[in-house]
Amino acid sequence: MSGYVYFTDEQKQRANAVDLEDFLCQQGEKLLKSGREKRLASDHSVTVRGNQWYDHASEKGGCAIDFVQMFYGKSFPDAVTMLLNGEQGQAYRSSEPRRPEPPKPFILPEAHTDMRRVYAYLTKTRSIDRSVVSVFAKAKMIYEDAKYHNAVFVGFDQDGVARHAHKRGTYTQGEPFKGNVDGCDPRYSFHHNGQSDTVYVFEAPIDLLSFLSLYPQGWQRHSYVALCGVAEHALLQLLEENPQVKKIGLCLDNDKAGLKARERLTGILAEKGYGEAFSLLPRQKDWNEDIRTQKTAFTQMPATGQAMQMA
């Protein structure tokens, strides 16, 4: 679009009220369920809900118009026109006005009588070492919820009080459910405090467990934290509680969002005086893909007596 374009306040309001989930689906974008929000398949750091969006990597967000400007590289007039579908008027349904929601108290999901389904999902479907899962299960940091049989990954504060829980669906058909329990404190996501001077940082609990399965020797000496996303809050809390930690291994996903988050976290850590941050990249997209790829390669090897070399 060229030249000066005038939009009335009513047009701009309608454009900014467009439901982004509906709009993106009509643009052919794939969205993944993430709790109450939807996450862009092409960039996992961006979530949308109604007419609002948020980029967890850059910690920026807004409404429909500036989303189209950012995501599609459009000027303000072009963004408004795109949202209003040119001269055809309102082609996308508007989101319902959002009422302020009172904060919900944090309550752990009710536990199932056993965790057979979660053990099977983590050890068979995800190829995680059973002994690693057992350590966290005995500490009540992993369990199976009673209602949906999700795997629940619990984060405790320094007093042993549960403050955070991340749920992951165990069904193998379709896109699995994943999301945090309402009322979580982001400073206390799934983590392990060790005694060494090193912490390893992951996006998801399953990646953390996969890494321990790949490199099990003496793992309990070190510290580990799953951010359950890419925000830095849980890492900074762990560093505050463990002053002996000086070396920080960023083990985030090997994709666009993970690489962008590495750069941002490195800057935050440098500002706080942590100069010994280093990156460990999985060979595939993430550490669980690495361990599943390795298992597949091992099971398909001819019986020549050769040992499978660890990554």
Side-chain angles (χ1 to χ4, degrees):
M1 178 181 294
S2 60
Y4 178 77
V5 178
Y6 173 78
F7 291 99
T8 65
D9 289 341
E10 186 272 338
Q11 286 176 308
K12 288 183 282 188
Q13 289 172 3
R14 282 195 292 114
N16 229 11
V18 165
D19 186 281
L20 285 173
E21 179 185 342
D22 183 60
F23 172 78
L24 286 167
C25 287
Q26 293 196 42
Q27 305 306 312
E29 299 289 345
K30 183 180 179 183
L31 299 176
L32 309 174
K33 188 173 182 181
S34 180
R36 296 181 179 180
E37 302 171 329
K38 293 293 179 67
R39 191 178 299 274
L40 282 174
S42 58
D43 188 342
H44 286 194
S45 66
V46 178
T47 57
V48 297
R49 183 182 178 193
N51 67 326
Q52 298 185 349
W53 64 278
Y54 189 75
D55 187 337
H56 297 264
S58 63
E59 298 186 327
K60 295 179 181 178
C63 295
I65 293 176
D66 49 22
F67 174 82
V68 174
Q69 289 182 272
M70 180 274 298
F71 192 73
Y72 290 101
K74 299 290 186 181
S75 65
F76 180 85
D78 286 343
V80 174
T81 299
M82 187 174 181
L83 287 162
L84 295 179
N85 199 22
E87 299 298 322
Q88 301 303 312
Q90 185 177 355
Y92 308 103
R93 62 181 173 86
S94 297
S95 63
E96 295 294 326
R98 290 182 62 185
R99 298 177 181 178
E101 298 178 1
K104 294 185 178 180
F106 173 68
I107 301 174
L108 284 174
E110 181 184 355
H112 192 54
T113 53
D114 60 60
M115 54 181 295
R116 286 180 296 179
R117 187 173 298 185
V118 165
Y119 260 111
Y121 174 74
L122 294 177
T123 61
K124 296 180 180 179
T125 304
R126 291 295 192 156
S127 301
I128 295 168
D129 189 273
R130 190 178 185 88
S131 64
V132 171
V133 177
S134 295
V135 169
F136 290 95
K138 289 178 181 177
K140 300 187 184 303
M141 296 175 67
I142 301 177
Y143 71 93
E144 183 174 321
D145 80 42
K147 190 172 183 180
Y148 299 108
H149 301 283
N150 293 317
V152 183
F153 302 93
V154 185
F156 293 90
D157 66 15
Q158 60 268 43
D159 297 319
V161 178
R163 300 290 188 187
H164 192 284
H166 179 78
K167 297 184 291 185
R168 178 77 186 197
T170 56
Y171 294 99
T172 56
Q173 299 298 319
E175 186 66 30
F177 168 81
K178 57 183 175 180
N180 296 331
V181 172
D182 288 332
C184 284
D185 187 331
R187 297 174 300 168
Y188 297 103
S189 58
F190 187 75
H191 67 281
H192 167 78
N193 290 331
Q195 300 301 317
S196 81
D197 63 352
T198 305
V199 61
Y200 297 93
V201 186
F202 303 85
E203 290 189 31
I206 285 177
D207 290 324
L208 188 160
L209 299 174
S210 300
F211 184 87
L212 300 184
S213 301
L214 286 165
Y215 306 104
Q217 186 171 0
W219 71 261
Q220 295 191 49
R221 295 186 298 108
H222 309 301
S223 297
Y224 306 85
V225 59
L227 304 177
C228 298
V230 291
E232 71 278 6
H233 311 296
L235 171 58
L236 297 182
Q237 184 66 29
L238 187 146
L239 292 173
E240 181 179 327
E241 294 176 9
N242 296 271
Q244 83 280 3
V245 173
K246 305 298 180 185
K247 301 175 183 177
I248 302 163
L250 300 177
C251 308
L252 309 182
D253 289 359
N254 188 9
D255 60 9
K256 179 182 176 182
L259 295 173
K260 185 164 63 172
R262 274 184 177 83
E263 183 178 351
R264 184 180 62 84
L265 289 174
T266 300
I268 291 172
L269 292 168
E271 289 177 2
K272 295 185 176 296
Y274 293 95
E276 294 189 60
F278 58 95
S279 286
L280 293 176
L281 283 170
R283 294 179 178 178
Q284 309 297 323
K285 174 186 172 294
D286 57 45
W287 298 100
N288 189 247
E289 284 194 14
D290 273 13
I291 198 171
R292 286 187 288 139
T293 300
Q294 182 187 88
K295 182 179 179 181
T296 300
F298 180 80
T299 58
Q300 292 179 350
M301 280 180 61
T304 60
Q306 289 181 302
M308 187 67 184
Q309 184 176 356
M310 292 294 285

